[in-house]
Amino acid sequence: LIPIVIQPNKKNYEMLAPENSFIHAEDFDFDPQKLGKYLEKVSNNFELYKSYFRWKIHFKPIYRAEDLEALRICELCFKLNNMKSLKYNSYYSNLSKWFNNQCKYD
């Protein structure tokens, strides 16, 4: 898959992601018509499609679920503990403490 991104701006992605590893809507003036035409071109041109994966020659993606699990739980804790709606806050006064006392937002 080729990530197609809108936010944050392209410069943020360029600081983190390998060159030519994503398609940013900014390159098409955030115009869905222009972006759609380009995506059609990519899908019909195997060499162009493959060009978005050349970065894999020099880099290896590393993903381990356990590396991200704490962040997902922290994000959930933060959102549930800061929601304005009483519908959820009435069940847990502090979800992060209930879960594991390790949420970075405490």
Side-chain angles (χ1 to χ4, degrees), residues 4-106:
I4 301 165
V5 296
I6 296 172
Q7 293 291 339
N9 66 39
K10 187 176 179 181
K11 287 184 181 190
N12 284 323
Y13 279 94
E14 290 173 336
M15 289 189 296
L16 300 171
E19 183 179 358
N20 210 35
S21 64
F22 61 92
I23 295 172
H24 202 292
E26 186 176 310
D27 291 333
F28 306 93
D29 302 319
F30 300 98
D31 181 329
Q33 300 290 332
K34 291 179 185 177
L35 176 58
K37 285 181 183 180
Y38 184 73
L39 294 177
E40 187 174 349
K41 179 179 176 179
V42 171
S43 71
N44 290 317
N45 183 328
F46 189 64
E47 290 303 315
L48 180 58
Y49 175 79
K50 282 191 336 184
S51 74
Y52 283 94
F53 300 95
R54 286 192 189 122
W55 61 270
K56 289 186 172 189
I57 295 169
H58 305 288
F59 299 96
K60 178 181 176 185
I62 298 174
Y63 172 79
R64 296 182 318 169
E66 60 269 18
D67 292 339
L68 299 176
E69 193 61 33
L71 290 173
R72 287 193 293 250
I73 295 300
C74 278
E75 184 177 353
L76 175 63
C77 290
F78 177 77
K79 288 180 178 178
L80 289 175
N81 283 312
N82 291 290
M83 289 180 71
K84 301 293 184 210
S85 168
L86 293 176
K87 179 180 176 183
Y88 297 105
N89 283 342
S90 62
Y91 296 112
Y92 302 103
S93 61
N94 191 319
L95 183 64
S96 64
K97 287 183 182 175
W98 172 80
F99 187 79
N100 65 6
N101 283 332
Q102 296 178 0
C103 185
K104 67 181 180 182
Y105 295 108
D106 277 353

